[in-house]
Amino acid sequence: MTEQESAYKAAGVDIDAKYRAVRGGQRAIRSTFTAGVVSDVGQFGGIFDPAAAGVAGQLLVASTDGVGTKVMLARQAGRLAGVGADLVQHCVNDILVQGARPLFFLDYIAVAKMVEEEVQELIEGLAEACRANDCALLGGETAEMPGVYRDNELDVAGTIVGAVARERVLDGSQIRAGDAVIALPSSGLHTNGYSLARRIVSTLGVGLEERPEALHGASLADALLAVHRSYYRAVWPLLERGVLTGMAHITGGGLFDNIPRVVPTGLTVEVRTAAVPRPPIFDYLVEHGDVRGDEAYRVFNMGFGMVLFAPAAAATAVLEDLQQRGEAAYLAGEVLAGDDGVRLV
């Protein structure tokens, strides 16, 4: 070790630990490589060949996101692999609503102090989710930044790139009054509402391994850290057949903020909240956090993970298709004429 490296370590950055952590994850990263990947792990940039991936001439769709303060609970519970999967699958859903399938993913991991085992666990989670979604983990950055982050703090973010044929772009412009609203359930909080959830749990003074009766045998860690679902496998056959008029991923802002992002002006979307089974963690948080009125449906997804829009005449076929493939799906409302945004009934 040189004098310069020793000084850097004394300043709080351990270069050797970083490279050991990344090298430890190389096998997992390579396991995600698809036909389009041309480069190898460790190069300055990841190289991807659209023609080899079968998407030459298609439009690219990109999105960047994080997992919010869920990462704090995950580290507290020692369950960081799930956060890696959360990150990938949130991003997959965000481009899926525009009709795109994922091609490759780039991650960013930032820590106050490098803990090799934690970074490797995150990489394993990222890789597992990438494999599940036919997506290459093409590159990323791991940064140790004492001073920017306080001791024991960690953050993750990611960027996904996918592709869609120009004629298959799904932008919601074809949604019409009379269309059916079909809901696919969430697995839990997914990746939003955690600042409130953490505050509620902290105020109650309960540990993450406690098993409140309201959670029917699950621990708080189980319920709060349930992995964000990917809807890629469920929805892709419907997108290939062109039977949907629009989709909305229900993330931060809940039903109230995400549905209007895809629905044309002059339409109201009526949603029956009781149509979709609600994971018990939501009622637990709403009750103990004194979350009032419609706020719960703006802070949390409240069981609605993805909302699909389809012509009324096609709704039964869409539901049957999903259910025959083992996917839970519910007729949860309809699109009406008017300009009231989202109406919960």
Side-chain angles (χ1 to χ4, degrees), residues 39-309:
S39 54
D40 196 7
V41 180
Q43 297 182 347
F44 284 96
I47 304 174
F48 194 89
D49 180 359
V55 295
Q58 293 192 14
L59 301 177
L60 297 181
V61 183
S63 182
T64 296
D65 220 311
V67 299
T69 58
K70 184 175 186 176
V71 71
M72 300 176 72
L73 289 177
R75 192 172 197 182
Q76 183 181 342
R79 303 187 185 190
L80 286 171
V83 170
D86 286 324
L87 181 60
V88 172
Q89 297 188 159
H90 180 121
C91 289
V92 166
N93 292 337
D94 277 350
I95 64 169
L96 185 67
V97 300
Q98 291 172 287
R101 70 177 179 90
L103 296 177
F104 58 84
F105 188 83
L106 306 169
D107 68 85
Y108 175 74
I109 302 171
V111 297
K113 180 176 177 57
M114 185 64 57
V115 179
E116 295 169 45
E117 296 79 7
E118 289 185 344
V119 172
Q120 288 183 24
E121 186 181 351
L122 272 170
I123 292 172
E124 291 283 352
L126 291 164
E128 181 179 359
C130 282
R131 291 192 300 269
N133 289 277
D134 300 331
C135 181
L137 184 51
L138 191 62
E141 164 68 349
T142 302
E144 191 173 21
M145 297 192 293
V148 174
Y149 294 95
R150 293 177 294 185
D151 289 349
N152 299 317
E153 285 190 349
L154 179 151
D155 195 16
V156 293
T159 296
I160 195 164
V161 175
V164 59
R166 186 180 297 272
E167 66 275 12
R168 290 292 185 89
V169 173
L170 201 63
D171 60 6
S173 62
Q174 299 305 307
I175 295 174
R176 300 286 185 267
D179 280 4
V181 175
I182 297 169
L184 303 182
S186 69
S187 54
L189 274 69
H190 282 182
T191 50
N192 56 283
Y194 279 89
S195 293
L196 177 57
R198 286 174 44 248
R199 181 182 179 187
I200 293 168
V201 171
S202 175
T203 300
L204 290 172
V206 294
L208 292 179
E209 295 310 317
E210 292 196 30
R211 299 176 182 272
E213 185 178 345
L215 300 186
H216 310 306
S219 69
L220 276 168
D222 293 334
L224 290 170
L225 296 175
V227 173
H228 192 134
R229 281 190 61 190
S230 165
Y231 298 94
Y232 171 56
R233 300 289 182 193
V235 172
W236 190 251
L238 301 173
L239 293 176
E240 287 191 305
R241 298 210 311 271
V243 296
L244 302 179
T245 55
M247 296 172 60
H249 183 201
I250 310 304
T251 59
L255 293 169
F256 286 112
D257 288 358
N258 287 289
I259 287 177
R261 295 169 69 177
V262 299
V263 175
T265 56
L267 296 175
T268 295
V269 178
E270 186 175 86
V271 179
R272 295 189 295 275
T273 59
V276 178
R278 194 161 56 232
I281 186 61
F282 292 113
D283 290 332
Y284 178 85
L285 292 172
V286 167
E287 177 185 352
H288 291 288
D290 194 26
V291 184
R292 303 187 181 190
D294 289 340
E295 185 181 13
Y297 284 88
R298 193 169 191 195
V299 176
F300 303 122
N301 64 63
M302 297 301 285
F304 288 76
M306 184 76 80
V307 169
L308 316 180
F309 297 90

